[in-house]
Every structure is written in structure tokens, then in C-alpha cells.
Amino acid sequence: MLPKKQTLGEFIIENQHAFKYSSGELSSLLNSIRLAAKVVNHEVNKAGLVDIIGAFGDTNIQGEDQQKLDVYANNKFIQTLTRRNIVCGIASEEEDSFISINSIDENNQNKYVVLIDPLDGSSNIDVNVSVGTIFSIYRRVTPTGSPVQLKDFLQKGSAQVAAGYVVYGTSTMLVYTTGNGVNGFTLNPAIGTFYLSHPNMTFPEDGNIYSVNEGNYLDFPLGVKKYIKYCQEEEGDRPYTSRYIGSLVSDFHRNMIKGGIYMYPKGSRNPNGKLRLLYECNPMAFLAEQANGKSSDGYTRTMDVEPTELHQRVPFVCGSKNMVEKLEAFMQEFGE
Ligand SMILES: O=P(O)(O)OC[C@H]1O[C@](O)(COP(=O)(O)O)[C@@H](O)[C@@H]1O
């Protein structure tokens, strides 16, 4: 007996009236991301059985060793979006520069550009720990029909029209927002359909989970060190619990459901932090704010940061509002 839950396809159509701009195009785009997610999910689930584990043997522009699954996921998302002729440009964490679809189809009249982190949590691929895909969608700022330009991608996070992630975990979920709240859909692998399982997801204002790679502790700004000590003190509802999966999507997802804070501060090894503003921080910040959470670099709202480069990194804090504000207060008081 099929569950009476709404499918993702139905939900996208039913809610397209709420989109700020024309709807059909964005609906088709979200549906294509849904399709690519299912294709990638299929490979992720049998990663140990097919030759898709381990290094690909190449490095990306960030100087990181690309994993085979990074490259596979990157190709699948780009192919799916390009073949369906629904975007005018794509930027990916795994691609040196952006892809202008007009260079492939000069009559391309599409209005949206997509930025993706095709496989987030790469260090967890080989050890069967949950990984994810992150996407962010903007309306282009240059004239429709002309080749996209860098400025179509270097937009502040506050200009996003949609953002989301796929988490390939104990179950596969697609979670997204178009600026009208956050909804989560679980894939029924038996029939390959996403169903609405988590409507109106919100961050509890407070939580008791903190997620940070404490291996870098000595490197952290003093404000962050003081906040981590605060989390560990025996007082009131503290100490909080330390949970760090090492996949942003999975740590974010858990913290959104249970209440918590994720931090990737800057440090001597990552003077600007590790996470990419355009592919990781802005989409997660949009989701966080739409789910009553908060996100910043410790001082400035993530979505107010002016992007200057395609692959720029920023310090990133995200999660339950009161926890992020507490950390920001420590940053104000103790600084770097
Ligand atoms: O291993 P570290 O330095 O703690 O970094 C882990 C963080 O880096 C990430 O893996 C991002 O990098 P990738 O997109 O290359 O996987 C996040 O998902 C995760 O939170």
C-alpha cells in the first residue's frame, strides 16, 4: 500500500506559485536535481562493490585529491543539468571554472545558474560514513541569452532563490528551500520516489550538541576556544555533547533535527577556514535561516559576505540561533 505522503515531484509543482519569479523553469531545475540525486545515490549505495572507491588520481583547483565518487557525482549532476537544458551556467567545487551553457547552446534562454558541491564529506566515502551533495541556485544578473559571466555566480547568499542538500545516509534524503521554509523528503529505494517525510524543518533555538574538528583546537581563534570550553563546562544543561561526523551535510542535518552548532573556524592551516562560501556555506546558511537557525563567520552574517572568487573559503558557524549568538558574543569579547 503506497504511503499517502506527498511525493517531491507533487510538492514542487504544488508550491511553485510561491516562487518569487517565473515558476516552470525553477520546478524543472529542482526536478532535474532530484533525478541526478537518485542516480548518484544508486552508486553511493553500492560503493564497496563497484570500482568507485578511492582516489581518482587527480587534484581539484583547491589542491585536494579528487575521489572517484567526487568525479562521478560531478559528472552526473553536470550531465543531467546540461542535457535537460534548464540552466544557463553551472559552477562546481570540482571544476576549475564555471561552465557556460551558451557555449554549448547559443540559443539558451534560461535564467538560472547552479552551484554544486557534488560530493560533500569526501573523506568519509571509503569508510561508509554518510556523505552528501549541496546545491545553490541563483537567477542570473546578466542579460538572458548572453553567455553567463563570473558575476552571475559571485552573488551574495541573500540573492539565492533556492538551496538544498542530499544526504546519503541510513536513508537518502533531499532537503531544500525556495525561501518558504525547509522541507525534507526521504527516498523510498524500492520505487525510487522521494516522499515528504520532514515538513517545515526548524532548528530548535537551543541545543546541546557542538560539532567541530577539535584536532585543530590549538589553531582556533581565542573566541572559539573560549566557546568550546563553555560547551564543556559542568553548569546548567552543560556540558554539551561533542558530535563531529566530518561531513557538513550530515552534521548540519543532525543539528537541525536535534539542536546544535557546527563550526569550521579559521586556523593556521586554513587561514580563511576550509569551507567554500559559494558551494557549502551560502546554501547551508540559507537553509539554516529558513529553518529559524543562524549562520555567520563569527561576526558577519554568511549571506551578507560579498563573494570575490569562485572557490573562496570563509570561516563558518551555523546552527541553533542562541548557540550561534553565544559563540558570536565570545568572538566579540575575545576575538582572534
Ligand atoms: O576533515 P576536516 O578538516 O574536519 O573537514 C571536514 C569538513 O570538510 C568537508 O568534508 C568539506 O570538504 P569536501 O567538500 O571536500 O568534502 C565537510 O563536509 C566537513 O565538515
Side-chain angles (χ1 to χ4, degrees), residues 61-134:
I61 187 165
Q62 349 256 341
E64 294 159 341
D65 293 334
Q66 287 183 310
Q67 304 300 305
K68 287 178 185 164
L69 208 47
D70 280 326
V71 175
Y72 177 86
N74 188 50
N75 293 342
K76 284 300 159 202
F77 274 92
I78 291 175
Q79 275 166 19
T80 307
L81 295 172
T82 310
R83 286 197 187 137
R84 277 164 182 71
N85 186 17
I86 33 166
V87 289
C88 56
I90 302 170
S92 164
E93 189 186 288
E94 300 303 331
E95 298 285 333
D96 295 2
S97 184
F98 61 87
I99 301 164
S100 166
I101 310 293
N102 289 73
S103 59
I104 302 166
D105 161 15
E106 61 195 33
N107 303 319
N108 184 306
Q109 294 296 316
N110 295 313
K111 301 179 195 64
Y112 296 106
V113 295
V114 174
L115 299 97
I116 49 170
D117 177 357
L119 214 287
D120 173 64
S122 312
S123 62
N124 284 325
I125 295 170
D126 296 3
V127 290
N128 204 3
V129 171
S130 62
V131 291
T133 291
I134 308 173

Side-chain angles (χ1 to χ4, degrees), residues 60 62 64-65 70 93-94 117-124 132 134 212-214 216 244-251 262-264 270 274-276 280 313:
N60 63 22
Q62 349 256 341
E64 294 159 341
D65 293 334
D70 280 326
E93 189 186 288
E94 300 303 331
D117 177 357
L119 214 287
D120 173 64
S122 312
S123 62
N124 284 325
I134 308 173
V212 65
N213 183 342
E214 291 192 65
N216 301 332
Y244 189 68
I245 296 169
S247 293
L248 167 64
V249 164
S250 312
D251 283 311
Y262 169 98
M263 300 169 266
Y264 208 109
N270 302 291
K274 176 186 180 182
L275 302 185
R276 278 51 61 138
E280 292 161 322
R313 302 171 191 258

